[in-house]
Amino acid sequence: MLNQPQSGNDMPRFAGIPTMMRLPAADQAHGLDAAFVGIPLDIGTSNRSGTRYGPRQIRQESVMIRPYNMGTGSAPFERLQVADLGDVAINPYSLADSVQRIEAAYHEILAHGCMPLTLGGDHTLTLPVLRAVARRHGPVGLIHVDAHSDTNEEMFGEQLAHGTTFRRAFEEGLLAPEKVVQIGLRGSGYAADDFDWSRRQGFRVVPAEACWHRSLTPLMAEIREQMGDAPVYLSFDIDGLDPAFAPGTGTPEVGGLSVWQGLEIVRGCRGLNLVGGDVVEVSPPYDRSGNTALLAANLLFEMLCVLPAR
């Protein structure tokens, strides 16, 4: 019997245990095809903190999501066994220790063949997740939606931060660089070549301006061809979307993607060999309406809908 989200006709949506989509909670990944995992991390942030509260509010706003995707016809709970594994117990006083804890937790999840979908949490968390993913699958392709490239050499002299994630991942051999795509980069910088480090490593860079006023469905068709059957990780920073849609984040940049373009990106991953994904940088204190977390919850559901059957 596959797990199902609790129906709003059995328990009012404002009541009950606030797991992701009101799924059963689980304390281990054994027997699961996919799982939602929270990482309440914000000690890697460089501007506005608060992403430690992201997983909790994403779960809270997920109560409205029903099990059938009317837009795509996907019914993930009819083919996948899914549960909420709760949060990784990060160390709020040590980023380095938190990174080690995250990697260990995801190594255990992946050892069961379970595909993790992460509720974040600042973008530092993707590095230890990729370390665990690469231990199981080898270097992976990456679809990275973000306003920022997160390829800084260091931040305040530190090698670990939410702005260094993908440089460290490249240096550690966790990525297949010819299969890395960064979508939505934009904003001001320190020099004209700020995004060129990614290009020099062989990454495909799609600036936000190249996405304005158009559907991203054709772009995703090209990306599917680029990725082939390689294992692919999807990392979606909520600030990849314009702050008009997602103001609840620490480093907002104007001129970003729309909600429907974000949906096109995730839905365009159908057919890829996805091995996990995350939605990060949700900072509830900067959006008291809850709309940013609501959007994150729906993006995670859309990711679940395009996961391949195990």
Side-chain angles (χ1 to χ4, degrees):
M1 181 69 177
L2 297 180
N3 294 337
Q4 298 294 318
Q6 187 177 36
S7 170
N9 294 316
D10 294 333
M11 174 70 74
R13 296 191 180 278
F14 50 81
I17 298 172
T19 58
M20 183 65 180
M21 291 188 65
R22 307 208 300 179
L23 284 161
D27 58 8
Q28 61 174 334
H30 177 72
L32 299 179
D33 299 307
F36 293 106
V37 188
I39 303 182
L41 184 73
D42 68 0
I43 49 177
T45 56
S46 57
N47 187 35
R48 305 190 305 194
S49 60
T51 53
R52 65 180 61 186
Y53 303 113
R56 179 168 292 185
Q57 192 175 27
I58 292 170
R59 289 187 175 101
Q60 179 177 320
E61 299 299 336
S62 74
V63 300
M64 278 300 296
I65 306 175
R66 301 167 185 87
Y68 187 81
N69 190 321
M70 301 299 291
T72 65
S74 179
F77 301 104
E78 294 180 6
R79 61 186 179 87
L80 297 170
Q81 183 71 303
V82 189
D84 188 329
L85 288 175
D87 290 345
V88 176
I90 61 95
N91 180 346
Y93 301 107
S94 172
L95 184 57
D97 184 42
S98 293
V99 164
Q100 291 179 351
R101 290 170 177 236
I102 295 164
E103 181 180 353
Y106 277 72
H107 178 65
E108 174 65 20
I109 292 168
L110 291 160
H112 293 284
C114 177
M115 292 179 281
L117 295 175
T118 302
L119 296 63
D122 78 59
H123 221 155
T124 314
L125 67 85
T126 305
L127 177 61
V129 173
L130 285 173
R131 286 172 175 169
V133 167
R135 285 173 67 182
R136 182 170 181 84
H137 298 284
V140 296
L142 174 72
I143 299 173
H144 171 209
V145 183
D146 205 324
H148 314 96
S149 68
D150 293 353
T151 57
N152 292 335
E153 171 59 33
E154 50 84 19
M155 299 183 77
F156 285 92
E158 298 294 329
Q159 298 291 298
L160 288 176
H162 73 162
T164 68
T165 297
F166 298 108
R167 183 175 289 224
R168 298 289 92 79
F170 171 81
E171 292 170 346
E172 294 178 19
L174 310 179
L175 304 176
E178 74 282 1
K179 295 184 183 297
V180 175
V181 182
Q182 298 183 304
I183 306 171
L185 307 191
R186 64 186 188 277
S188 53
Y190 293 103
D193 63 351
D194 272 7
F195 297 149
D196 287 350
W197 184 90
S198 293
R199 295 184 176 99
R200 288 195 298 271
Q201 314 319 312
F203 299 0
R204 179 175 182 177
V205 175
V206 184
E209 288 82 358
C211 302
W212 288 355
H213 313 300
R214 66 184 63 188
S215 167
L216 299 188
T217 298
L219 170 66
M220 293 310 298
E222 295 175 8
I223 291 173
R224 287 194 303 274
E225 183 176 352
Q226 177 180 351
M227 298 296 175
D229 60 0
V232 178
Y233 188 86
L234 173 58
S235 186
F236 201 121
D237 188 324
I238 204 70
D239 73 25
L241 304 181
D242 192 86
F245 303 105
T249 192
T251 50
E253 304 280 2
V254 301
L257 306 179
S258 68
V259 170
W260 38 97
Q261 287 175 319
L263 292 175
E264 286 178 325
I265 291 170
V266 179
R267 293 177 180 182
C269 292
R270 179 178 295 278
L272 291 176
N273 180 19
L274 287 176
V275 295
D278 61 52
V279 178
V280 300
E281 297 288 353
V282 176
S283 188
Y286 302 102
D287 184 0
R288 304 305 294 179
S289 72
N291 282 346
T292 305
L294 174 66
L295 176 54
N298 278 272
L299 289 170
L300 285 157
F301 173 59
E302 294 283 346
M303 289 184 187
L304 181 67
C305 288
V306 299
L307 287 183
R310 188 170 67 167

